[in-house]
Amino acid sequence: MADSKGIGIRIQGAGAAGYAKNIVVEDVKIRNIGFYGILAEFADNVKISNTIIHDIGFAGIGGLSVRNIHIDKSHIKGISPGSKGNAYETLLYINNHFYIGKKRRLFVNF
């Protein structure tokens, strides 16, 4: 079940001074969520593996202010906002840069 903001799994540290660390999300199926399937904010060393994410409204996997995120063996499909707006399989914001992709295997280390 999604939270009130339409996020399936939320990983959230306290902020720039307190990152959530060493998080593993694996062997899950996330579907029919309005905003993000998985959203990591202020997180370090996040591993997302063997997931199936589909029918999501904005991004299958999103990362904002993340370090060392590994996405592997995950199937993301059916990402669509409807008739307006943007939608992404993966959307990461790291060091003032956006990384947008349609990759099944993604490693970002800073």
Side-chain angles (χ1 to χ4, degrees):
M1 174 181 267
D3 69 7
S4 64
K5 295 185 178 182
I7 298 169
I9 295 175
R10 179 187 292 266
I11 301 160
Q12 187 166 14
Y19 276 59
K21 295 183 179 185
N22 303 318
I23 307 297
V24 176
V25 177
E26 63 183 358
D27 300 322
V28 298
K29 183 175 185 179
I30 301 167
R31 62 185 173 94
N32 300 321
I33 302 292
F35 198 37
Y36 285 97
I38 299 172
L39 175 61
E41 296 178 278
F42 298 106
D44 184 15
N45 195 27
V46 176
K47 180 182 179 188
I48 299 168
S49 180
N50 198 34
T51 60
I52 299 171
I53 301 169
H54 66 91
D55 300 321
I56 306 295
F58 179 69
I61 299 172
L64 305 172
S65 297
V66 294
R67 297 186 294 227
N68 303 315
I69 185 168
H70 306 272
I71 302 167
D72 189 29
K73 298 178 185 171
S74 294
H75 187 73
I76 304 168
K77 66 178 185 175
I79 310 301
S80 175
S83 62
K84 292 186 177 181
N86 298 319
Y88 309 97
E89 287 185 5
T90 56
L91 171 68
L92 304 175
Y93 185 71
I94 304 168
N95 291 341
N96 297 319
H97 292 89
F98 277 105
Y99 297 86
I100 299 168
K102 293 186 174 187
K103 298 182 179 180
R104 301 290 181 252
R105 185 176 178 100
L106 178 65
F107 299 98
V108 181
N109 294 295
F110 291 93

